[in-house]
Amino acid sequence: MNAEHLHTASGTSMAGPLLITPRVFGDDRGFFFESWNQRAFAAALEADGQPVADFVQDNHSRSSCGVLRGLHYQLPPHPQGKLVRCVLGEILDVAVDIRRGSASFGQWVGARLSAANHQQLWVPAGFAHGFLTLSEHAEVLYKTTDFWSRDCERAIRWDDPQVAIAWPQGQAAPAPATPLLSDKDAVAPLLADLTDQDLFR
């Protein structure tokens, strides 16, 4: 397993999120790989100076082309770290730094996760998370370090101009100019409108 930092739009490496690339064994019968190994993942986090993650729940979503989910996060006392992978199709998976005082506050990193590349994105607590479906359909699995909490759940706008995520169009099927959003995501606040109580410190 290889774990590496991603770079922001300005080209700087962002501390926290990690792109995980597993070792895949393939032949004419198919392939095999360890999609998660607790010891290997813990070693990658420790090598990066991050606390070891204890996962409590696995989630599975299916989305059509052009569906955008996010940008979501949870505040303490129930912050969520997420380990995300795409097992059908392709997505752009994004993490936004919402740690007040961080050198990369308000900046984003992203990776194309797909059933073909088997890569995963580790999104630690302190980051908002979202993804856009680029293929005709996509199925996304992600582990979380805490349970969903209505009181702790927050979101920021997918098209926040301060964050300025470069969302692409779909490849396998044409994505709409405006992504398909939930009612809640469509009215999420801008980062600049959030209070200190809505951010990580």
Side-chain angles (χ1 to χ4, degrees):
M1 183 188 84
N2 181 58
E4 59 184 309
H5 287 285
L6 295 166
H7 292 83
T8 67
S10 63
T12 59
S13 177
M14 181 183 285
L18 293 172
L19 183 65
I20 308 294
T21 303
R23 187 178 179 189
V24 180
F25 302 90
D27 56 29
D28 55 3
R29 299 170 301 161
F31 66 81
F32 169 85
F33 70 99
E34 292 181 347
S35 61
W36 183 69
N37 179 299
Q38 193 274 338
R39 285 181 296 183
F41 187 66
L45 293 184
E46 289 175 343
D48 196 53
Q50 299 189 44
V52 174
D54 292 320
F55 295 112
V56 300
Q57 184 171 308
D58 282 359
N59 297 331
H60 187 156
S61 74
R62 179 178 171 89
S63 304
S64 301
C65 186
V67 169
L68 193 154
R69 300 184 186 273
L71 302 157
H72 304 147
Y73 62 99
Q74 285 191 183
L75 293 169
H78 299 291
Q80 280 187 329
K82 298 176 181 178
L83 182 62
V84 187
R85 65 189 180 114
C86 182
V87 297
L88 174 70
E90 182 180 19
I91 63 171
L92 176 68
D93 204 46
V94 170
V96 179
D97 190 346
I98 53 170
R99 301 170 296 178
R100 179 71 78 186
S102 167
S104 55
F105 176 77
Q107 298 183 52
W108 67 278
V109 292
R112 288 184 181 236
L113 308 181
S114 71
N117 66 27
H118 308 294
Q119 291 180 320
Q120 303 177 43
L121 185 63
W122 164 239
V123 182
F127 290 79
H129 169 256
F131 67 85
L132 173 67
T133 304
L134 302 177
S135 50
E136 186 174 1
H137 297 284
E139 294 195 20
V140 175
L141 305 182
Y142 58 100
K143 296 180 173 293
T144 66
T145 59
D146 208 331
F147 301 104
W148 175 73
S149 169
R150 184 185 302 275
D151 292 338
C152 297
E153 184 183 41
R154 299 290 189 277
I156 59 176
R157 284 267 303 196
W158 67 276
D159 59 348
D160 188 321
Q162 179 181 344
V163 181
I165 298 172
W167 297 108
Q169 294 292 299
Q171 300 300 313
T178 301
L180 304 174
L181 304 165
S182 70
D183 292 342
K184 183 165 58 176
D185 289 347
V187 297
L190 299 175
L191 186 61
D193 294 333
L194 297 178
T195 67
D196 283 343
Q197 287 71 35
D198 292 317
L199 298 169
F200 281 76
R201 289 172 285 175

